[in-house]
Amino acid sequence: MDYAEKHQRVADTFRRMVIEETAALVDAGSAKLELYDGTDHDGGELRPRRPTACGFSFCMQSAEEISFFPTAPGTDRTQTIDVYDKDPASLVSKARCYLRAFIAGRVKFTLRAGSSAGRVDLLLDDGAEVSHLYNVLVGFRVGRGAGWERYTASPYD
Protein backbone atom coordinates (compact mmCIF):
# COMPACT_ATOMS: atom_id res chain seq x y z
CA MET A 1 0.00 0.00 0.00
CA ASP A 2 1.45 3.39 -0.95
CA TYR A 3 1.37 6.47 1.28
CA ALA A 4 -1.69 8.04 -0.39
CA GLU A 5 -3.70 4.84 0.12
CA LYS A 6 -2.58 4.63 3.75
CA HIS A 7 -3.51 8.26 4.31
CA GLN A 8 -6.96 7.77 2.79
CA ARG A 9 -7.59 4.60 4.80
CA VAL A 10 -6.68 6.33 8.07
CA ALA A 11 -8.70 9.41 7.09
CA ASP A 12 -11.79 7.29 6.41
CA THR A 13 -11.41 5.49 9.75
CA PHE A 14 -10.92 8.79 11.57
CA ARG A 15 -13.98 10.34 9.90
CA ARG A 16 -16.16 7.33 10.83
CA MET A 17 -14.93 7.54 14.43
CA VAL A 18 -15.79 11.26 14.66
CA ILE A 19 -19.28 10.65 13.27
CA GLU A 20 -19.88 7.75 15.70
CA GLU A 21 -18.63 9.67 18.73
CA THR A 22 -20.68 12.79 17.98
CA ALA A 23 -23.91 11.28 16.57
CA ALA A 24 -25.88 11.39 19.84
CA LEU A 25 -24.84 15.01 20.51
CA VAL A 26 -25.75 16.11 17.01
CA ASP A 27 -29.09 14.26 17.12
CA ALA A 28 -29.92 15.88 20.48
CA GLY A 29 -29.01 19.35 19.21
CA SER A 30 -26.13 19.71 21.70
CA ALA A 31 -23.60 20.22 18.91
CA LYS A 32 -23.20 20.80 15.20
CA LEU A 33 -20.71 18.75 13.24
CA GLU A 34 -19.33 20.07 9.98
CA LEU A 35 -17.07 17.80 7.96
CA TYR A 36 -14.87 19.49 5.39
CA ASP A 37 -15.01 18.16 1.87
CA GLY A 38 -12.79 19.10 -1.01
CA THR A 39 -9.95 20.47 1.13
CA ASP A 40 -6.31 19.50 1.27
CA HIS A 41 -6.82 17.93 4.69
CA ASP A 42 -9.55 15.68 6.02
CA GLY A 43 -11.18 17.33 8.99
CA GLY A 44 -14.05 19.34 10.31
CA GLU A 45 -15.42 21.30 13.21
CA LEU A 46 -17.59 20.51 16.23
CA ARG A 47 -19.49 23.49 17.63
CA PRO A 48 -21.28 23.04 20.96
CA ARG A 49 -24.64 24.65 21.67
CA ARG A 50 -23.44 25.54 25.16
CA PRO A 51 -21.08 28.57 25.06
CA THR A 52 -19.10 27.29 28.05
CA ALA A 53 -18.18 24.06 26.25
CA CYS A 54 -15.01 23.68 24.20
CA GLY A 55 -15.59 23.96 20.49
CA PHE A 56 -12.83 22.72 18.24
CA SER A 57 -11.82 21.93 14.73
CA PHE A 58 -9.72 18.97 13.70
CA CYS A 59 -7.61 17.99 10.76
CA MET A 60 -5.82 14.88 9.66
CA GLN A 61 -2.44 16.26 8.66
CA SER A 62 -0.96 12.95 7.52
CA ALA A 63 -1.35 9.20 8.04
CA GLU A 64 0.63 9.69 11.27
CA GLU A 65 -0.70 13.02 12.62
CA ILE A 66 -4.08 14.41 13.63
CA SER A 67 -4.35 18.00 14.84
CA PHE A 68 -7.01 19.49 17.09
CA PHE A 69 -7.64 23.21 17.45
CA PRO A 70 -9.67 23.73 20.65
CA THR A 71 -11.03 27.16 21.49
CA ALA A 72 -11.08 28.38 25.09
CA PRO A 73 -14.74 28.77 26.13
CA GLY A 74 -16.08 32.29 25.75
CA THR A 75 -13.10 33.41 23.65
CA ASP A 76 -11.83 33.20 20.10
CA ARG A 77 -8.42 32.01 21.33
CA THR A 78 -7.44 28.71 19.78
CA GLN A 79 -4.63 26.34 20.70
CA THR A 80 -2.97 23.68 18.55
CA ILE A 81 -2.71 20.08 19.72
CA ASP A 82 -0.92 17.58 17.51
CA VAL A 83 -1.37 13.84 18.10
CA TYR A 84 1.20 11.54 16.49
CA ASP A 85 1.46 7.79 16.04
CA LYS A 86 2.93 5.64 13.27
CA ASP A 87 0.33 2.93 13.89
CA PRO A 88 -3.00 3.93 12.27
CA ALA A 89 -5.21 2.12 14.79
CA SER A 90 -3.34 3.68 17.69
CA LEU A 91 -3.52 7.14 16.12
CA VAL A 92 -7.30 6.97 15.74
CA SER A 93 -7.62 5.55 19.26
CA LYS A 94 -5.62 8.45 20.70
CA ALA A 95 -7.71 10.92 18.70
CA ARG A 96 -10.87 9.33 20.13
CA CYS A 97 -9.57 9.95 23.67
CA TYR A 98 -8.96 13.63 22.89
CA LEU A 99 -12.36 14.01 21.23
CA ARG A 100 -14.09 12.49 24.27
CA ALA A 101 -12.18 14.77 26.66
CA PHE A 102 -13.27 17.89 24.76
CA ILE A 103 -16.90 16.74 24.65
CA ALA A 104 -16.94 15.76 28.34
CA GLY A 105 -15.49 19.13 29.38
CA ARG A 106 -12.31 17.58 30.76
CA VAL A 107 -10.18 20.38 29.36
CA LYS A 108 -8.59 23.44 30.99
CA PHE A 109 -6.80 26.33 29.33
CA THR A 110 -4.10 28.53 30.87
CA LEU A 111 -3.49 31.40 28.47
CA ARG A 112 -1.37 34.52 28.55
CA ALA A 113 -3.69 37.55 28.77
CA GLY A 114 -4.57 38.82 25.31
CA SER A 115 -2.73 35.99 23.57
CA SER A 116 -3.17 32.38 22.48
CA ALA A 117 0.13 31.41 24.11
CA GLY A 118 -0.37 28.94 26.90
CA ARG A 119 -1.22 25.40 27.89
CA VAL A 120 -4.13 23.03 27.44
CA ASP A 121 -4.58 20.30 30.05
CA LEU A 122 -6.82 17.31 29.32
CA LEU A 123 -8.02 14.41 31.41
CA LEU A 124 -8.40 11.36 29.17
CA ASP A 125 -10.80 8.42 29.63
CA ASP A 126 -8.11 6.23 31.18
CA GLY A 127 -7.34 8.86 33.85
CA ALA A 128 -4.15 10.03 32.17
CA GLU A 129 -3.52 13.76 32.31
CA VAL A 130 -1.85 15.31 29.27
CA SER A 131 -0.66 18.85 28.71
CA HIS A 132 0.07 20.60 25.44
CA LEU A 133 2.00 23.85 25.28
CA TYR A 134 1.35 26.33 22.52
CA ASN A 135 3.71 29.13 21.57
CA VAL A 136 5.42 29.16 24.96
CA LEU A 137 9.20 28.94 25.19
CA VAL A 138 9.52 28.27 28.91
CA GLY A 139 6.84 25.70 29.69
CA PHE A 140 7.34 25.43 33.44
CA ARG A 141 6.39 29.12 33.86
CA VAL A 142 2.92 28.82 32.32
CA GLY A 143 0.36 30.04 34.81
CA ARG A 144 2.88 31.53 37.24
CA GLY A 145 2.63 35.18 38.08
CA ALA A 146 0.35 37.87 36.76
CA GLY A 147 -0.98 37.95 33.23
CA TRP A 148 -2.40 34.44 32.94
CA GLU A 149 -6.06 33.62 32.43
CA ARG A 150 -7.72 30.28 33.13
CA TYR A 151 -10.70 28.73 31.37
CA THR A 152 -12.41 25.44 32.19
CA ALA A 153 -14.80 23.91 29.68
CA SER A 154 -18.16 22.43 30.59
CA PRO A 155 -19.56 19.24 29.04
CA TYR A 156 -21.55 19.49 25.82
CA ASP A 157 -24.80 18.20 27.28
Side-chain angles (χ1 to χ4, degrees):
M1 171 181 352
D2 70 6
Y3 185 81
E5 291 172 324
K6 179 180 178 183
H7 176 86
Q8 191 58 54
R9 190 173 284 182
V10 177
D12 292 344
T13 303
F14 174 60
R15 180 182 290 256
R16 281 192 305 275
M17 179 275 292
V18 169
I19 292 169
E20 289 170 10
E21 289 291 327
T22 61
L25 292 169
V26 171
D27 290 346
S30 297
K32 290 185 180 181
L33 175 64
E34 180 182 351
L35 296 175
Y36 304 149
D37 290 324
T39 61
D40 292 337
H41 300 291
D42 296 301
E45 183 176 358
L46 191 66
R47 292 181 304 276
R49 178 188 67 222
R50 184 179 289 176
T52 56
C54 177
F56 60 95
S57 59
F58 49 89
C59 176
M60 190 170 151
Q61 304 285 2
S62 72
E64 298 175 352
E65 177 186 358
I66 295 172
S67 296
F68 290 97
F69 307 97
T71 302
T75 77
D76 61 355
R77 295 157 66 190
T78 301
Q79 300 288 291
T80 301
I81 295 175
D82 297 317
V83 180
Y84 300 95
D85 203 304
K86 290 184 179 194
D87 176 57
S90 183
L91 177 64
V92 173
S93 179
K94 285 179 182 179
R96 181 186 307 268
C97 291
Y98 279 75
L99 182 76
R100 287 179 175 174
F102 294 134
I103 290 169
R106 296 188 313 262
V107 56
K108 296 178 182 178
F109 295 81
T110 304
L111 305 175
R112 186 179 306 276
S115 167
S116 288
R119 181 180 67 222
V120 179
D121 298 307
L122 296 107
L123 179 62
L124 304 180
D125 285 346
D126 64 2
E129 294 181 29
V130 294
S131 293
H132 290 271
L133 293 174
Y134 179 72
N135 202 21
V136 177
L137 296 176
V138 187
F140 68 89
R141 296 199 45 133
V142 173
R144 295 183 182 191
W148 292 95
E149 300 169 330
R150 289 174 178 75
Y151 303 88
T152 301
S154 64
Y156 272 52
D157 52 2

